[in-house]
Amino acid sequence: MLKAAGVEDRIRQAAETIYQALIEAGLTAVIGAAPHQRTEARTGMRNGHRARTISTTAGDLELKIPRLRAGRSSRRCWNGGGEWISRCSR
């Protein structure tokens, strides 16, 4: 699929993949467990995703932002700029 795409599409797809991996890794660190992992240290649970589009120099990226169901970290949000923030703005 990537071989047939243009250079701009490849760069956008790579940026999207990297951002998504960072989001998931950040959430794993916050709640103390990977997806489908059961641990004593878990502080919350994933509850699906919401779509979010962010604009970058690589183009618009379609990301899936995880939702949290319970735990002390449920008030933390991804700001789309590369870091977690302490409170969500709704």
Side-chain angles (χ1 to χ4, degrees), residues 3-89:
K3 289 183 180 182
V7 173
E8 295 85 12
D9 288 337
R10 286 190 231 175
I11 292 171
R12 187 192 52 75
Q13 183 64 41
E16 197 170 281
T17 301
I18 291 168
Y19 268 100
Q20 195 66 53
L22 288 171
I23 291 168
E24 293 296 334
L27 184 64
T28 296
V30 168
I31 67 172
H36 310 291
Q37 182 183 21
R38 307 290 181 237
T39 67
E40 295 290 325
R42 178 185 287 274
T43 60
M45 298 186 71
R46 288 169 169 81
N47 189 24
H49 292 85
R50 66 179 174 87
R52 176 90 189 253
T53 303
I54 63 169
S55 295
T56 68
T57 56
D60 289 343
L61 308 180
E62 298 292 328
L63 300 175
K64 294 184 276 183
I65 307 301
R67 292 182 183 175
L68 296 177
R69 185 168 59 184
R72 63 183 163 85
S73 61
S74 63
R75 300 293 294 172
R76 294 172 59 96
C77 293
W78 176 255
N79 74 354
E83 61 189 35
W84 290 95
I85 56 176
S86 60
R87 291 196 51 104
C88 300
S89 57

